[in-house]
Amino acid sequence: MNQDTIQGQWKQLSGQIKQHWGKLTDDDLRVAQGNSEYLSGKLQERYGMARDEADKQVKAFEKEIRHH
């Protein structure tokens, strides 16, 4: 899924993101607005993940939503 598609569907996706990563706040999601790098950074911060693990999880989530 490209960045424009994610940004266009951000409001719908933010609910799924919060279900997937419950430690992210509404403010985190509002600021992210579809920016996968920002989202990855917040996962690192909130969950204590390494950068590559956070990137891997974001990419897996993007792949999952493409198939739905």
Side-chain angles (χ1 to χ4, degrees):
M1 178 169 286
N2 67 34
Q3 200 66 30
D4 291 336
T5 303
I6 290 172
Q7 289 175 341
Q9 297 178 348
W10 189 249
K11 287 187 180 192
Q12 296 88 345
L13 294 175
S14 62
Q16 292 177 5
I17 291 169
K18 282 184 71 173
Q19 286 179 342
H20 202 77
W21 296 293
K23 291 183 181 180
L24 296 177
T25 67
D26 289 334
D27 285 342
D28 293 337
L29 298 176
R30 190 182 74 252
V31 173
Q33 286 295 311
N35 183 325
S36 58
E37 287 183 28
Y38 180 86
L39 186 59
S40 179
K42 282 299 169 181
L43 291 179
Q44 292 174 65
E45 180 183 321
R46 301 275 188 242
Y47 288 91
M49 293 180 188
R51 173 87 185 178
D52 49 335
E53 177 60 25
D55 289 344
K56 180 181 167 184
Q57 286 194 24
V58 169
K59 286 178 184 173
F61 179 78
E62 289 174 347
K63 185 177 180 180
E64 180 182 313
I65 60 174
R66 263 187 264 149
H67 290 92
H68 285 97

